[in-house]
Amino acid sequence: MKNLPRLALAPVFAAACVAAFATGAQAQGQAPLKVGLMLPATGTYAALGDMIEKGFKLYVQEQGGKLAGREIQYFKVDDESDPSKATDNVNKLIKRDNVDVLVGTVHSGVALAMAKAAKESNTLLIVPNAGADAITGPMCGANILRSSFSNWQPGYSTGVVAAQKGYKRAMTITWNYAAGQETVKGFAEAFEKGGGKVVKDLTLPFPNVEFQALLTEIAAQKPDVVFAFFAGGGAVKFVKDYDAAGLKKSIPLFGSGFLTDGTLQAQGPSAQGLFTTLHYADSLDIPKNNAFRKSFALAYKQNADVYAVQGYDAAQILGAGLAAVKGDFAKRDAMLAAMRKATVDSPRGKFTLSAAGNPVQDMYLREAKGENNEYRAVAVKALADPARGCKL
Ligand code: PHB
C-alpha cells in the first residue's frame, strides 16, 4: 500500500516526458538528418566534387556539427560525372539509404537525372554546382533548389563583357553537353545583343581533351575573341594547349570563370592574365569572404574556390530551412518556403533565390593573377536566370 501513490504518479510523469519531447526538446530527440552527397570523386570533375563536400561540411562544422539542432549523417555516392549511371546512383541514396536530402552534383547531365528522381520521389534536392538550365526551368519544383548558378548566367555575363570590350567576331569552344551548349547560348545572347556575332561554335565530346584540330581551326579563322567553357581537369589542359599553340598572344581567350577556378596552380603561366566572369572571385574583399577563406584554409590546408563556396552555401540554405521549423523536417512546406525566402550570407556576397529556386546574384569580372581569380568589377548586377519554362 505504501508504494501506491508513487505508482499512480508514473503515468503523469510519462505524459510530461512525452510533452517535453514533442515541444522544446524536438530537435535533440530526433534521429540524425540523412544527407546524401552525390558528387564526382573520379574523373575530370573529381576535384570539384571534393571542394563542394569540404565546403558543405565546413558550414556544418561551424554550427557545431549540427543544423538547427539536428545531427547530420552523410551518405556518399561517386557519380563519376557519368549520366548513364546517374539514375542507378541517385536511387542508391533515395531508395537504399533513404536520405532526407540530396546534395548534388557537378555535371549537368547527371544533375538532370537527379532532378527527375527527386521530383518522382518528392525528395528535397539542393544542387551545389550543375548549371543545367532545365533544373530551374521546365523541371523546376518546390523541392528543388540551387546554391550555384544556371549555365545561362556566367555565359550571359561574359557575353556582356566581351561586347563591351568592342569585340565583333567570336568563336566558341566547349564540350558537347548541356553545360557547354547552354553556357555558349548565354554568351551568344548577350554578345549579339551587344553588337557582336558568333561566327562559329566548336565542340568535342565530354570529357575529351584532344583540342589540337580545333585550335588549328581557331588559328585559321582568326576571330577577335574566343569564348570557352571547360572546367576541372579539362580546363587545365585546354588553357595550356591554347597557350602552347601560340594563340594566347594573338586571340584573347574569355570564358565563364570555371575555366580558371580551382585550376590556376596546375595551369601555371598559361592562365595568367585571363579574364573570366563568375559569381565569385577569390579576392572579393568583404568580411564574409575573408572569414570563409581563413576558416577553409585552416580546416583543409588549401585555398577555397567557387565550388567550396557553393557547397558551403548549399549547407547554409538547408540550415535556413531547418532553423525555420526548429529542425522538424516533417514541417516540409514551411521548411521549403523558408529556404526559398532565405537571404544567403555567402562568401560571394549576399544573395536570394528566385521563385524558380536559382540564385539571383552579382556576376564579377575577374583576372587570373598568381593563384587567385582577382576581382576587377561587377560585370552584371543581380543577374537572374530567365527561368524559361518554369511553372510553379
Ligand atoms: C555542369 O556540368 O553544369 C558544370 C560542370 C562544371 C562546372 C560548371 C558547370 O565548373
Side-chain angles (χ1 to χ4, degrees):
M1 282 311 263
K2 244 190 183 170
N3 282 340
L4 235 183
R6 240 208 231 155
L7 274 177
L9 274 179
V12 177
F13 179 69
C17 283
V18 169
F21 190 76
T23 55
Q26 215 159 44
Q28 286 83 339
Q30 285 172 344
L33 191 81
K34 294 175 159 192
V35 173
L37 298 174
M38 181 155 150
L39 295 165
T42 50
T44 201
Y45 289 159
L48 289 58
D50 179 53
M51 292 302 265
I52 289 168
E53 180 173 343
K54 284 174 170 160
F56 191 98
K57 289 184 169 170
L58 180 65
Y59 182 74
V60 174
Q61 276 315 312
E62 287 176 355
Q63 314 311 304
K66 293 180 181 180
L67 294 180
R70 295 287 299 267
E71 301 255 5
I72 305 295
Q73 188 179 7
Y74 294 104
F75 294 81
K76 284 170 56 166
V77 166
D78 172 10
D79 67 41
E80 304 169 49
S81 296
D82 185 345
S84 74
K85 297 181 184 163
T87 302
D88 284 347
N89 278 330
V90 73
N91 279 327
K92 287 180 196 160
L93 294 169
I94 296 173
K95 295 187 178 152
R96 181 192 67 192
D97 301 330
N98 229 335
V99 299
D100 298 303
V101 190
L102 286 167
V103 176
T105 186
V106 171
H107 184 286
S108 274
V110 178
L112 286 166
M114 291 184 79
K116 186 164 180 284
K119 280 195 94 123
E120 283 165 7
S121 60
N122 205 19
T123 309
L124 170 59
L125 168 64
I126 305 177
V127 180
N129 183 71
D133 290 344
I135 289 175
T136 51
M139 296 181 79
C140 72
N143 61 320
I144 298 177
L145 299 148
R146 188 144 54 186
S147 65
S148 51
F149 59 93
S150 73
N151 289 324
W152 178 90
Q153 283 176 309
Y156 187 90
S157 54
T158 313
V160 167
V161 171
Q164 279 168 355
K165 295 231 179 214
Y167 300 124
K168 293 294 173 218
R169 291 171 64 251
M171 277 175 87
T172 71
I173 179 164
T174 190
W175 282 312
N176 193 10
Y177 83 106
Q181 293 155 352
E182 293 169 357
T183 309
V184 159
K185 226 171 139 190
F187 173 82
E189 186 181 326
F191 186 63
E192 298 196 341
K193 211 173 3 177
K197 177 98 193 103
V198 174
V199 294
K200 185 137 201 195
D201 295 318
L202 304 174
T203 61
L204 71 170
F206 175 87
N208 287 10
V209 290
E210 302 311 320
F211 300 119
Q212 222 46 55
L214 302 176
L215 293 174
T216 303
E217 202 175 335
I218 290 170
Q221 296 257 353
K222 296 191 182 58
D224 299 335
V225 65
V226 169
F227 172 77
F229 167 84
F230 294 106
V236 172
K237 173 117 187 337
F238 179 76
V239 165
K240 287 181 136 185
D241 285 5
Y242 194 87
D243 187 21
L247 290 170
K248 191 180 176 212
K249 294 191 293 287
S250 52
I251 306 173
L253 173 61
F254 273 53
S256 58
F258 309 114
L259 195 63
T260 57
D261 221 281
T263 55
L264 286 175
Q265 199 173 12
Q267 286 163 332
S270 297
Q272 295 302 301
L274 290 186
F275 283 101
T276 59
T277 77
L278 204 63
H279 48 284
Y280 182 63
D282 298 311
S283 70
L284 196 63
D285 191 14
I286 56 172
K288 184 70 188 181
N289 190 40
N290 295 333
F292 166 75
R293 292 189 74 84
K294 214 162 143 189
S295 170
F296 192 93
L298 205 67
Y300 301 115
K301 314 283 171 266
Q302 71 186 118
N303 287 326
D305 61 14
V306 70
Y307 307 105
V309 170
Q310 294 169 168
Y312 188 82
D313 291 342
Q316 292 212 69
I317 291 171
L318 178 60
L322 284 169
V325 294
K326 300 195 168 57
D328 185 358
F329 199 77
K331 294 193 175 132
R332 203 183 147 90
D333 290 349
M335 183 186 71
L336 292 177
M339 286 180 176
R340 262 198 169 51
K341 266 194 245 122
T343 296
V344 184
D345 189 11
S346 170
R348 76 189 83 172
K350 287 195 170 82
F351 72 86
T352 54
L353 293 169
S354 66
N358 193 65
V360 178
Q361 54 196 343
D362 293 348
M363 305 300 294
Y364 305 116
L365 176 65
R366 312 112 45 89
E367 183 179 0
K369 285 271 175 218
E371 288 186 14
N372 282 328
N373 287 288
E374 291 189 356
Y375 171 87
R376 287 288 172 267
V378 174
V380 184
K381 184 104 195 115
L383 185 63
D385 179 84
R388 293 168 184 134
C390 169
K391 288 187 197 77
L392 277 175

